[in-house]
Amino acid sequence: MLMRRCFAHPPPVRAFTLSAGAAREQPMERIMQCVNEHYRDLDFNVSRAAEYLGMSVPYLSNLFKQQTGIGLLNYISGLRVKYAKQCILERHISVAQAAHEAGFENINTFIRIFKKYEARRPEASTAELEMSSRREG
């Protein structure tokens, strides 16, 4: 039974003619796709990403840092803050609800990380957030 499942869908055969740069792009594409699909999950972190991708945490972390110049956890946090800010602006939901929807389990963690990326607390008025988003866009 196990043998039948293993060979029912054989893995695709890959050509060995990839250049070194192309070989590195494919894992990065998979990483970015995984992060973009899961960053809002409450239990998503670097360890979970490594698990989904079948990579070790050190390999994933080092590859991401080498290719992007920033750490994977910082990248995930930045995406979450951006999404939460968008939720607050566009849907006018509470900070706590936006934090939860963006993937933060703890409101205090969200506030600390939001301050790191936005240089202010998320409780800033909607008008302030709207003004800053107009300047950015």
Side-chain angles (χ1 to χ4, degrees), residues 30 34 47-57 59-60:
R30 288 180 52 229
C34 177
S47 296
R48 186 61 48 130
E51 184 181 314
Y52 289 153
L53 294 163
M55 299 177 179
S56 70
V57 171
Y59 175 77
L60 173 60

Side-chain angles (χ1 to χ4, degrees), residues 2-130:
L2 179 61
M3 292 285 276
R4 195 176 316 146
R5 278 193 299 179
C6 289
F7 292 108
H9 302 288
V13 177
R14 294 187 180 142
F16 292 101
T17 58
L18 293 174
S19 68
R24 278 190 295 260
E25 285 177 22
Q26 188 177 15
M28 282 305 295
E29 288 173 14
R30 288 180 52 229
I31 293 167
M32 297 307 283
Q33 181 180 3
C34 177
V35 170
N36 287 327
E37 286 178 14
H38 297 285
Y39 74 91
R40 293 183 299 155
D41 298 349
L42 292 174
D43 65 343
F44 190 69
N45 55 30
V46 177
S47 296
R48 186 61 48 130
E51 184 181 314
Y52 289 153
L53 294 163
M55 299 177 179
S56 70
V57 171
Y59 175 77
L60 173 60
S61 296
N62 289 333
L63 178 63
F64 193 88
K65 178 91 174 194
Q66 286 173 354
Q67 295 293 312
T68 65
I70 62 170
L72 181 54
L73 184 59
N74 285 337
Y75 181 76
I76 293 167
S77 295
L79 286 176
R80 287 176 168 170
V81 166
K82 184 176 180 179
Y83 182 79
K85 185 177 170 182
Q86 181 180 353
C87 287
I88 293 167
L89 280 171
E90 294 176 3
R91 295 176 33 212
H92 306 287
I93 60 176
S94 71
V95 170
Q97 187 177 353
H100 190 267
E101 288 186 21
F104 290 97
E105 285 188 276
N106 183 304
I107 187 70
N108 293 327
T109 301
F110 171 69
I111 290 169
R112 180 176 42 81
I113 292 173
F114 190 97
K115 281 172 53 177
K116 176 182 172 183
Y117 286 88
E118 295 292 320
R120 67 172 170 270
R121 293 176 60 86
E123 292 88 4
S125 69
T126 303
E128 286 178 7
L129 288 174
E130 286 174 354

